[in-house]
Amino acid sequence: MKTAQLNRMHSGKGFIAALDQSGGSTPKALAQYGVQESSYANEEEMYTLVHEMRTRIIKSPAFDSDYILGAILFENTMDRKIDGQWTADYLWEKKNIVPFLKVDKGLADLNNGVQIMKPISNLDELLTRAVERNVFGTKMRSVIKEANPAGIREVVEQQFAVGLQIFEKGLIPIIEPEVDIYSADKEKSEEILKEEIKKQLSLLDKDVKVMLKLSIPTVNDFYKELMSDPHVVRVVALSGGYGQDEANQKLAANHGLIASFSRALSEGLSADQSDNDFNAKIGQTIKEIYEASIT
């Protein structure tokens, strides 16, 4: 276990930048950045362009460890370099920012009000490569759309089962059972979810560590007790479709909860911006997310 990185994630001030859009979400991320599908002819060209976008974000002077604790990478980003270094090495050695890797392969079809993760067929090989690339931890996402106890139990059990595999490879898993912010019974789903998480945490051996990535709760400070569990390194929040201002406002009302934003982080950035304008915009966004994360 990388003690310096673990300590930084456990007690450092700041937030996690989610730079892990992949597969079907990559064209959307590029379009938001002002790069249309006509700009690339195939998947390789698409991933080259998205790596250029992420490189521009990471190399920005505003992307600074005074505000950012960690960054979540897509597999393709992990396997590419920035200024001759693997992306994870660049993040830690040049920026003092802890690298994570998205490992899930997307969502299964809706069943029992939830979408569990699709099987991760190459998980062991992927984790081995992540260790070789000096990645610290991983992230994997499921989605809860209804307050269905059986479905939510299945989501949490799957997340923790895969999380244990990840921990045994020497990595810290970020467990992400997202509750859809548009769910009609979001608050009830969160109540069921918290109890299922507590149950799974109670079953862990004392040395096992995980992180939790959760939707910003309907009731402020609802996840406070999870933050004090000895197995939990940190509880972080996803923006979940909220715009940047609304996400920051809701986050600030939840003490101890820090951001792990994706769309809200890149909002307002464009490929056409000058470096000065780009750095000014992302700098403003980073400071606002940071302020919301240190309440």
Side-chain angles (χ1 to χ4, degrees), residues 192-208:
I192 299 168
L193 174 63
K194 184 167 76 169
E195 290 309 309
E196 291 297 333
I197 290 174
K198 287 165 61 177
K199 186 187 303 180
Q200 289 299 317
L201 289 171
S202 73
L203 298 174
L204 297 177
D205 290 343
K206 61 181 177 62
D207 65 326
V208 177

Side-chain angles (χ1 to χ4, degrees), residues 177-181 185-194 197 212-227 235-240 242 246-247 249-259 261:
E178 174 183 344
V179 177
D180 190 327
I181 63 170
D185 47 13
K186 178 174 178 284
E187 184 175 352
K188 182 62 177 176
S189 293
E190 290 163 348
E191 292 171 2
I192 299 168
L193 174 63
K194 184 167 76 169
I197 290 174
L212 300 172
K213 182 170 178 174
L214 306 171
S215 303
I216 302 172
T218 305
V219 176
N220 292 337
D221 292 330
F222 184 67
Y223 294 124
K224 194 84 172 171
E225 65 185 291
L226 296 179
M227 298 176 190
V235 182
V236 307
L238 55 105
S239 51
Y242 293 124
E246 187 175 9
Q249 183 180 25
K250 290 180 179 293
L251 179 68
N254 286 270
H255 304 88
L257 191 64
I258 68 170
F261 291 172

Side-chain angles (χ1 to χ4, degrees), residues 3 8 43 55 60 64-65 78-79 82 109 118 135 147 151 201 221 232 246 252 267 279 285:
T3 304
R8 180 159 171 74
E43 193 173 79
T55 296
S60 170
D64 187 275
S65 61
M78 177 187 73
D79 288 333
I82 298 177
D109 292 338
K118 291 179 179 178
V135 167
L201 289 171
D221 292 330
V232 177
E246 187 175 9
E267 191 175 300
N279 292 332
T285 298

Side-chain angles (χ1 to χ4, degrees), residues 116-230:
I116 63 171
M117 295 181 289
K118 291 179 179 178
I120 310 172
S121 57
N122 68 331
L123 181 61
D124 191 69
E125 181 274 329
L126 180 58
L127 297 177
T128 297
R129 204 160 79 251
V131 171
E132 291 171 351
R133 296 277 191 269
N134 294 319
V135 167
F136 170 76
T138 65
K139 190 215 80 157
M140 51 193 176
R141 172 177 172 260
S142 311
V143 174
I144 296 165
K145 291 184 175 291
E146 299 172 13
N148 183 307
I152 294 173
R153 185 179 308 115
E154 184 180 14
V155 160
V156 177
E157 288 179 349
Q158 183 195 38
Q159 283 274 346
F160 273 84
V162 178
L164 275 173
Q165 289 180 256
I166 291 165
F167 182 80
E168 287 166 1
K169 292 289 281 191
L171 301 162
I172 297 292
I174 298 178
I175 287 167
E176 183 185 4
E178 174 183 344
V179 177
D180 190 327
I181 63 170
Y182 302 109
S183 169
D185 47 13
K186 178 174 178 284
E187 184 175 352
K188 182 62 177 176
S189 293
E190 290 163 348
E191 292 171 2
I192 299 168
L193 174 63
K194 184 167 76 169
E195 290 309 309
E196 291 297 333
I197 290 174
K198 287 165 61 177
K199 186 187 303 180
Q200 289 299 317
L201 289 171
S202 73
L203 298 174
L204 297 177
D205 290 343
K206 61 181 177 62
D207 65 326
V208 177
K209 302 289 184 184
V210 302
M211 292 175 61
L212 300 172
K213 182 170 178 174
L214 306 171
S215 303
I216 302 172
T218 305
V219 176
N220 292 337
D221 292 330
F222 184 67
Y223 294 124
K224 194 84 172 171
E225 65 185 291
L226 296 179
M227 298 176 190
S228 59
D229 188 286

Side-chain angles (χ1 to χ4, degrees), residues 274-288:
S274 68
D275 286 345
N276 285 341
D277 289 345
F278 179 92
N279 292 332
K281 176 57 183 173
I282 196 171
Q284 177 188 4
T285 298
I286 285 170
K287 287 178 181 177
E288 289 173 354

